Amino acid sequence: MSEKAKPHGYDTEQASPRVDTFEEGEVFQTTESGVNFRKVGRLNATVIFIKMLFATGVLSLPSALYALGAVGGSISIVAWGLFNTYCFVILGNFRMKHPHCHSIADMAEVAGGPIAKEATGLLFIIAYVLTTGSGIVGVSTALNALSHHAACTVWWSFIATVVIVGTASVRKLQKIGWISYVGFISIYAAVFIVVVGVTQRDRPAAAPQEGLYDLGFVAVNNPGFAGGMVASCTIFVSSAGTSAFLPVISEMRDPHDYKRPLYYCMALVTSSYLAFTLVVYRWCGMWVASPSLGSAGQTIKMVSYGVALIGLVVTGTLYLHVGAKYLFVRILGKSRHLQSNTVVHWGTWLGCTTLLGSLAFVLAESIPIFNYLIALVGSVCFAPLAMSLPGWLWLHDHGHYRKGSLVQKVVYGLHVGLVLLGIFFLVGATYGVVKQIIDAYASGLIGSAFSCADNSNSS
């Protein structure tokens, strides 16, 4: 097929980058000279999306299901999956109207000016530093398991940080996208091994191995306000990282193709979450480990962590890359250094990955229990980023609905509800997480910060 015969939007992974007219307003221009960031195709975008979501979140879901019960947790997984899909459709549509928006912070500026941009940008950075921290915790836990705790956990975390910073420093998402295939298969296979492993045991590995014991499997549970908010927030955040899709869209050959990768991603992730989590909870109940890869006994734990290790590294790599790319674009802006191989270009890029990676290491060692770290990301960062902000952006573009027909007024009111829901989760879930962290320190469940203790099996 000749170039002239190709239909608009022609896009395969093997096709050459599109070098037709520059799209007005796009932060990265398709270019044959300099650094061409616009090389991500639909298939590559789909895998990157999936790997960003199907990562550390799935490892904390069985514990959340124990808090809510099988029925309540299952409904929550499906509902939050649909909710997060819709909220990103809002963000994607908003970006199509404002193609200069590289990140969600740029969108906030359109709706609320410079102050909104800086506040949202700060939340975005905090979110992806914390999620990078969760990746560091995951990698250090894997190294601990594989080495039989041959070294202090802090050293494993430091090694994990160095590896993640190194891999995240690859500049183009298209190149990182290819290792995302391996990373996704790695995590998916590891979780599947655990799912099969727990069904082969007479009783959970962490439960008493003799005598009577309580499995803790219930259809509906009442964990109290703090526990319920933490569990709901854990499930919400497992598919709420869609704001990280926006920088990926900016590096797609055709940004308008974002919806198909989104729908494929959310369908696979939500169905996998539901199936895997229900099986692990059914067989482990209250005895599930956190991260959940340790739920089927020592042998399966070592096998699953060995298989998952690459995927856990890729998880931290993607999160750190997205956060660093945001900072990189903010610093260099529209200067010639943004897409030129200059000393300033490279110095800024490597400085961004190193700085954010170092912050992630510090936070990972300060909050070493996996569930709490994941829930804190959801309450402090993704509640405003993935609930309130999409609602606000929709209201910005649909202000006429407020005085429209009855149906339009109802729809307008529902999107006002999105803004309020995010505020409620920001306050309520953060209270729940902080309370549980304080209780965990007081009870000795968490040792001192930067201690050599391994908290990976705490739930």
Side-chain angles (χ1 to χ4, degrees), residues 126-339:
I126 293 172
Y128 288 96
V129 167
L130 283 170
T131 48
T132 301
S134 72
I136 291 172
V137 170
V139 174
S140 65
T141 301
L143 293 174
N144 253 326
L146 293 171
S147 67
H148 292 286
H149 310 281
C152 176
T153 302
V154 178
W155 282 109
W156 290 131
S157 296
F158 177 74
I159 292 172
T161 303
V162 171
V163 172
I164 287 172
V165 169
T167 51
S169 295
V170 176
R171 289 177 302 171
K172 298 178 184 179
L173 267 171
Q174 178 240 358
K175 292 184 177 179
I176 292 181
W178 289 112
I179 66 171
S180 295
Y181 289 80
V182 180
F184 167 66
I185 293 171
S186 167
I187 288 285
Y188 207 89
V191 174
F192 186 76
I193 289 170
V194 173
V195 169
V196 173
V198 297
T199 65
Q200 304 306 305
R201 299 184 62 92
D202 294 331
R203 58 178 67 199
Q209 295 304 298
E210 295 181 1
L212 298 175
Y213 75 102
D214 180 15
L215 178 62
F217 180 87
V218 294
V220 179
N221 203 3
N222 182 17
F225 179 78
M229 289 300 294
V230 171
S232 295
C233 203
T234 300
I235 295 174
F236 156 69
V237 78
S238 67
S239 59
T242 49
S243 55
F245 294 177
L246 293 169
V248 181
I249 291 176
S250 292
E251 296 190 37
M252 289 182 69
R253 295 190 191 113
D254 186 352
H256 295 86
D257 283 342
Y258 82 92
K259 282 188 179 179
R260 190 177 299 176
L262 170 68
Y263 295 147
Y264 289 156
C265 164
M266 297 305 286
L268 176 63
V269 167
T270 303
S271 58
S272 298
Y273 279 175
L274 184 63
F276 289 170
T277 304
L278 275 174
V279 173
V280 173
Y281 176 53
R282 164 61 184 83
W283 289 92
C284 293
M286 69 171 67
W287 306 99
V288 66
S290 174
S292 59
L293 294 183
S295 299
Q298 183 62 30
T299 301
I300 296 296
K301 177 180 179 179
M302 294 183 68
V303 171
S304 62
Y305 271 122
V307 173
L309 186 58
I310 295 176
L312 293 169
V313 170
V314 174
T315 294
T317 296
L318 286 172
Y319 291 152
L320 180 56
H321 183 97
V322 167
K325 186 65 69 68
Y326 164 75
L327 198 59
F328 174 72
V329 172
R330 284 297 309 273
I331 292 172
L332 294 185
K334 298 181 179 179
S335 74
R336 68 180 182 87
H337 300 290
L338 183 65
Q339 290 186 250

